[in-house]
Amino acid sequence: MAHQRQRLTPQATSLMVLLCFVWALAQVGLKYTAHDMAATLQIAVRSIGGAVLTWGFVRWRGQRLFTMAGAWRPGVVVGALFAGEFFFVGEALRYTSASHVSIFLYTAPIFAALGLHFFTPDERLQPLQWLGVLLAFVGVTISFLGRDTLTMSGASLHGLLGDGLALLGGLFWGATTVVVRGTRLKNAPATETLFYQLLGAFVILLSGAYLTGQTGVNWSWSLIGNLIFQTIAVSFASLLVWFWLLRHYLASRLGVLSFMTPLFGVLLGVLLLNEHIERSFMVGAVCVVLGIILVNGHDWFFKSTKLNLTVSVNTDNQESSSPDQSTR
């Protein structure tokens, strides 16, 4: 039975804010404990943990994990893309700040929108969305080229490399969205797609950590606590809550709220890791976030505007309407 998606309630909005906070905290946690275990290896560990929890959840509900015939082919592709995204995230955290990673990784909706524009006729970009794409890439350019420390020193070059790797992570994330929307996976249960992604990330990232010599571990309470948080909260619970929200509430509203994640990422990076934020990066980050809002919130904005105008006209035509009547 199809679900009628609702407008956001205060409870759903609170859940979305919490999800954004958890996703932002994930990057900070990886950076904070990277001296005990490389971020790439941490993501591999959390991925296999999340895959096991996803399998157990499906079994507990008495359902089958694999339901779509032939879905394993695009499943392998999204698993590889998901792994590529987080390989670049793990490597980016070696060279740049968690704040920078949070902003550049969340350019993914821009890349996804561009890919869907060219491969999905029903999802062509509108003029205002093209403005959002342009604004986001202007922001990326300002962040890259306007660094206060751009003096060709080793540290600044490492920072640029890290920013570029995080941007590649966003590209791979956007490509994952395009593949899911354009293949049989779009009709598969969310748990099936999630399992492909988590299993692919474990296999590829574990291999990547081994090949790059990042398998050393210094067990500490902070590392153990972070791995538990990353596995249960990030790779399992947050994604299940996200899929539940998508099933019950309008995706356009949720997408607009998700822009809080990079903002939380910057704030947490400053507060918990004492990261320095360059002026040019802040200007660029604002442009990127505004661009994401224009691309993701286009339909929501125009539907809301049309609804409010319609209600306003109807209200004006009613002689008995009160001046303080809500137009929702």
Side-chain angles (χ1 to χ4, degrees):
M1 178 179 178
H3 289 265
Q4 182 66 39
R5 289 173 174 82
Q6 315 164 39
R7 293 187 182 183
L8 288 182
T9 63
Q11 294 80 6
T13 301
S14 298
L15 271 178
M16 193 62 208
V17 172
L18 179 61
L19 283 184
C20 292
F21 182 82
V22 168
W23 291 335
L25 190 58
Q27 316 300 336
V28 175
L30 290 171
K31 182 76 173 181
Y32 181 75
T33 56
H35 60 281
D36 291 323
M37 177 187 287
T40 302
L41 185 57
Q42 288 191 56
I43 299 171
V45 172
R46 85 178 187 191
S47 296
I48 190 58
V52 171
L53 289 173
T54 301
W55 174 82
F57 178 74
V58 172
R59 295 287 295 175
W60 174 72
R61 298 185 65 184
Q63 299 173 341
R64 294 169 52 204
L65 182 59
F66 303 108
T67 60
M68 298 291 296
W72 67 269
R73 294 181 180 86
V76 170
V77 176
V78 299
L81 289 172
F82 188 77
E85 170 197 339
F86 281 104
F87 176 77
F88 288 126
V89 168
E91 291 299 295
L93 287 169
R94 297 174 63 189
Y95 300 107
T96 193
S97 66
S99 304
H100 281 223
V101 172
S102 294
I103 291 294
F104 291 122
L105 177 61
Y106 279 85
T107 57
I110 303 297
F111 291 117
L114 286 172
L116 292 169
H117 173 83
F118 291 109
F119 294 107
T120 307
D122 294 336
E123 302 204 41
R124 301 290 188 189
L125 291 173
Q126 301 303 311
L128 190 61
Q129 290 175 299
W130 278 114
L131 176 62
V133 171
L134 177 62
L135 186 60
F137 281 106
V138 167
V140 170
T141 302
I142 292 173
S143 299
F144 268 83
L145 301 183
R147 276 173 166 264
D148 297 339
T149 56
L150 191 57
T151 57
M152 292 306 164
S153 66
S156 63
L157 290 176
H158 276 183
L160 284 174
L161 173 60
D163 291 353
L165 290 170
L167 191 62
L168 282 174
L171 173 62
F172 270 62
W173 184 1
T176 302
T177 301
V178 174
V179 172
V180 170
R181 296 283 287 275
T183 64
R184 296 185 180 186
L185 288 176
K186 67 182 178 182
N187 297 318
T191 48
E192 182 173 350
T193 303
L194 176 59
F195 187 83
Y196 283 125
Q197 292 176 315
L198 292 173
L199 188 61
F202 167 68
V203 172
I204 295 176
L205 293 180
L206 184 63
S207 302
Y210 177 78
L211 292 175
T212 56
Q214 299 184 69
T215 55
V217 179
N218 175 38
W219 292 106
S220 65
W221 287 113
S222 59
L223 174 61
I224 293 171
N226 185 57
L227 287 175
I228 293 173
F229 165 74
Q230 297 279 345
T231 300
I232 297 177
V234 178
S235 288
F236 177 65
S238 72
L239 294 176
L240 286 181
V241 172
W242 168 244
F243 292 137
W244 181 84
L245 287 170
L246 285 176
R247 190 179 182 190
H248 291 85
Y249 298 96
L250 295 172
S252 58
R253 272 69 164 178
L254 296 171
V256 172
L257 286 179
S258 67
F259 84 91
M260 291 185 294
T261 303
L263 299 182
F264 279 142
V266 172
L267 180 63
L268 291 172
V270 172
L271 294 178
L272 300 181
L273 300 177
N274 297 316
E275 293 180 344
H276 170 67
I277 302 299
E278 305 93 341
R279 184 181 305 172
S280 60
F281 173 71
M282 286 303 300
V283 173
V286 170
C287 292
V288 170
V289 172
L290 289 177
I292 293 171
I293 293 174
L294 286 177
V295 172
N296 272 13
H298 175 271
D299 293 338
W300 168 79
F301 175 78
F302 279 101
K303 286 179 182 177
S304 297
T305 303
K306 185 183 295 185
L307 176 63
N308 287 336
L309 286 175
T310 301
V311 174
S312 177
V313 170
N314 291 338
T315 302
D316 291 339
N317 290 335
Q318 294 177 1
E319 296 180 358
S320 60
S321 61
S322 60
D324 60 344
Q325 184 176 356
S326 172
T327 59
R328 292 191 194 181

